[in-house]
Amino acid sequence: MSTKKELLNKGIKLMLYALPLMFIGPSVIYNAFINKKNMWHYLVLAVGVFLCFLAVYFLFKGIKNVTDSLFNNER
């Protein structure tokens, strides 16, 4: 079995994009809940939720690319 190096690198890169988002997203959400009296509360909360969804998307997309490269699945 051989691996597709380009697809493996792309998957690892996507997972590396997800890593900081996994910490930034919940921090932004926490900050939004701390500052409920601020008028920007809902905007900051929406940005935090979007960052969390983006982290999950990048993580799953990266895992799929890594498994596709390891098991030689054709797209």
Side-chain angles (χ1 to χ4, degrees), residues 15-55:
M15 288 192 292
L16 286 176
Y17 291 154
L19 187 64
L21 290 174
M22 284 190 275
F23 294 101
I24 294 171
S27 298
V28 171
I29 291 174
Y30 176 76
N31 191 6
F33 282 124
I34 291 298
N35 298 320
K36 283 187 179 180
K37 294 181 181 178
N38 193 346
M39 69 179 220
W40 297 98
H41 164 70
Y42 292 112
L43 180 65
V44 173
L45 183 63
V47 168
V49 169
F50 175 73
L51 290 175
C52 286
F53 280 129
L54 200 61

